[in-house]
Amino acid sequence: MITTEKVTFMQFHGKNFKNYIPTLLTGIFVLLIWELTVRIFSISEWLLPGPVSIFLALYQQRGILLSHSLRTLLESIAGMGLSTTAGLLLGGLIFHFKILKKTFYPFLVISQTVPIVILVPLLVIWLGYGVTPKLVIVILACFFPVAVNTVDGLAA
């Protein structure tokens, strides 16, 4: 039976929302202690800005942050799309051709042990500051897990 009765957010999520109250209060408490510590001990803003200073700076710079966030989102989506497509294709090929599994699969698994953070400075040196190093970073972060999990998923 379908009802047309409106259900509010609190009515629908009320039971679950009560579970988050301790976490919410703890977060507020930590922010309060942080702000008080910065003010009481006169900690320089360049060393440790307080939450109020951070929120004010975020508000004042919201325009530039929004424009850069949108660009970052688009670059992330492009990199994820490329890495997912390539990872699914390579994973499918590796699964279907046993010789590829014997030759490439170990390298795919081993490559996941290298932290991407280590490669970032090298990629910036090699590729510059444009979009390319950002796309390569996203592709490196996403391609190998997609390829390995595609092989494992097809084998299951």
Side-chain angles (χ1 to χ4, degrees):
M1 184 168 137
I2 299 174
T3 65
T4 57
E5 196 176 316
K6 274 193 161 183
V7 178
T8 66
F9 178 81
M10 285 303 291
Q11 289 171 335
F12 187 70
H13 295 288
K15 293 177 187 172
N16 292 336
F17 183 73
K18 291 177 185 174
N19 295 335
Y20 296 109
I21 290 176
T23 305
L24 184 63
L25 291 176
T26 302
I28 291 169
F29 179 74
V30 167
L31 290 174
L32 183 65
I33 295 298
W34 176 7
E35 185 66 35
L36 289 173
T37 302
V38 167
R39 289 179 187 232
I40 290 171
F41 294 108
S42 300
I43 298 175
S44 298
E45 213 170 283
W46 63 268
L47 182 61
L48 179 66
V52 171
S53 298
I54 293 171
F55 290 126
L56 283 174
L58 286 171
Y59 179 75
Q60 292 167 348
Q61 300 294 324
R62 67 188 178 279
I64 194 166
L65 289 172
L66 182 60
S67 68
H68 287 283
S69 297
L70 290 174
R71 182 175 177 127
T72 300
L73 176 65
L74 293 175
E75 291 167 350
S76 300
I77 290 170
M80 186 66 184
L82 290 170
S83 62
T84 301
T85 303
L88 288 172
L89 287 173
L90 185 64
L93 288 172
I94 288 173
F95 174 74
H96 287 294
F97 298 102
K98 299 305 177 201
I99 188 73
L100 291 178
K101 186 167 186 175
K102 288 181 180 178
T103 56
F104 288 115
Y105 189 72
F107 291 109
L108 284 175
V109 174
I110 289 171
S111 69
Q112 292 185 51
T113 62
V114 178
I116 299 296
V117 176
I118 291 173
L119 299 175
V120 171
L122 293 173
L123 291 172
V124 170
I125 291 170
W126 294 335
L127 304 173
Y129 288 104
V131 175
T132 307
K134 298 172 193 173
L135 283 175
V136 170
I137 291 166
V138 174
I139 290 169
L140 286 175
C142 300
F143 169 77
F144 296 108
V146 170
V148 169
N149 286 314
T150 299
V151 173
D152 292 345
L154 290 172

